[in-house]
Amino acid sequence: MPPISSSSSSRNGKKLGPIPEKNRDNLYKKFKIACDTFFENRRNSNKQSNNEFDENLKKKQDIIRQIHEAAKGEDLSENTLSELVSEFNETGFVPRKNIKEIQAQFKDAVDRYLEKMDPSGSGREDFLFRLNLNRIQADPNSTKTLNRKEHGIRKQITDLENSITLWRNNLEFFAASKTADKLKDQFDIKIKKAEEEIDKLKSKLSILKEF
């Protein structure tokens, strides 16, 4: 069996002998320079990221101010708000310490705009649902996600319709009891809420067809 060469020994991870003293200082200097360069580059990179996060925070704060200003006007529209919301979402990260605060300010601004645009709140849920679909559409797996969302909504509708049928059957069953009126009121409230929820879900299905 041929002897193992020093290069083979090195490749196999075996320790080489001690470094000659005359080369030790030179090697250490090279190692220190490499380490100093690495950490300096990392510090500069972190500094650059922090500056970028601070700039993103300023941009998001400016967008929030624009939403508040737009809400004071009379010509309110979903398109205007959608553009501002998209601009906010496309702006990069902010410093970690400001994440919760800026999100709360953004939500408050959007809510104020929607309240001014639709005081009754009837269109707010549909608008927010459409915004969510816009974000989903940008994802490579958007088709599967949208299909799952549609399936989930249809299942909710079916479950509510089955519940309504059950409650109406219960009303007929308890019609002759002494507590019929009280039960009728309770089931009527449940049925009404379920029917309202079905209408909302059907509205979401209509919106889904746009995508």
Side-chain angles (χ1 to χ4, degrees):
M1 180 176 180
I4 299 174
S5 66
S6 60
S7 60
S8 297
S9 174
S10 175
R11 284 196 299 270
N12 289 331
K14 293 183 179 179
K15 293 182 180 180
L16 298 174
I19 300 171
E21 189 171 352
K22 63 181 181 179
N23 296 328
R24 194 177 304 162
D25 289 344
N26 186 41
L27 185 61
Y28 173 75
K29 286 177 183 178
K30 289 181 180 180
F31 173 74
K32 186 175 184 303
I33 290 171
C35 288
D36 290 345
T37 302
F38 170 79
F39 287 111
E40 181 64 22
N41 289 339
R42 191 167 73 171
R43 278 193 293 270
N44 290 335
S45 177
N46 289 338
K47 186 176 180 180
Q48 184 177 356
S49 296
N50 290 336
N51 290 337
E52 184 179 343
F53 290 173
D54 289 336
E55 284 300 313
N56 290 339
L57 177 62
K58 292 177 182 178
K59 289 178 183 178
K60 291 196 172 190
Q61 288 171 334
D62 183 60
I63 294 169
I64 290 171
R65 282 193 290 271
Q66 290 181 54
I67 295 174
H68 278 297
E69 286 300 315
K72 295 177 182 177
E74 298 297 328
D75 187 20
L76 305 180
S77 70
E78 288 188 5
N79 287 339
T80 299
L81 183 57
S82 294
E83 289 174 3
L84 289 169
V85 170
S86 294
E87 187 178 350
F88 183 92
N89 290 330
E90 289 168 5
T91 303
F93 296 112
V94 302
R96 184 182 297 274
K97 64 181 180 180
N98 300 108
I99 292 175
K100 289 184 178 180
E101 179 186 8
I102 200 69
Q103 286 295 340
Q105 292 174 357
F106 174 65
K107 182 180 182 301
D108 178 66
V110 171
D111 285 345
R112 286 177 183 273
Y113 191 102
L114 290 172
E115 285 172 6
K116 183 72 180 296
M117 186 176 71
D118 180 22
S120 67
S122 59
R124 187 181 309 177
E125 192 172 342
D126 285 351
F127 176 76
L128 294 175
F129 182 69
R130 188 177 283 107
L131 284 181
N132 184 43
L133 294 182
N134 281 327
R135 285 194 291 270
I136 291 174
Q137 202 172 32
D139 190 278
N141 296 318
S142 60
T143 302
K144 289 183 179 179
T145 304
L146 292 173
N147 285 339
R148 284 198 301 269
K149 189 169 286 289
E150 180 180 355
H151 176 75
I153 291 173
R154 291 189 183 280
K155 185 178 184 304
Q156 283 180 274
I157 292 174
T158 300
D159 290 344
L160 286 169
E161 288 175 340
N162 289 339
S163 294
I164 289 173
T165 300
L166 177 63
W167 293 332
R168 284 178 173 157
N169 289 338
N170 287 341
L171 278 176
E172 293 178 7
F173 180 78
F174 291 114
S177 69
K178 294 180 180 180
T179 58
D181 290 339
K182 185 177 180 180
L183 288 170
K184 183 178 183 302
D185 290 341
Q186 291 176 353
F187 281 116
D188 281 344
I189 291 172
K190 286 184 177 182
I191 290 170
K192 184 179 179 181
K193 287 183 177 179
E195 288 175 338
E196 290 173 352
E197 185 62 26
I198 287 173
D199 288 339
K200 290 179 183 178
L201 291 169
K202 286 183 176 179
S203 176
K204 288 182 178 180
L205 280 180
S206 298
I207 294 171
L208 262 171
K209 291 178 182 178
E210 300 173 11
F211 294 82

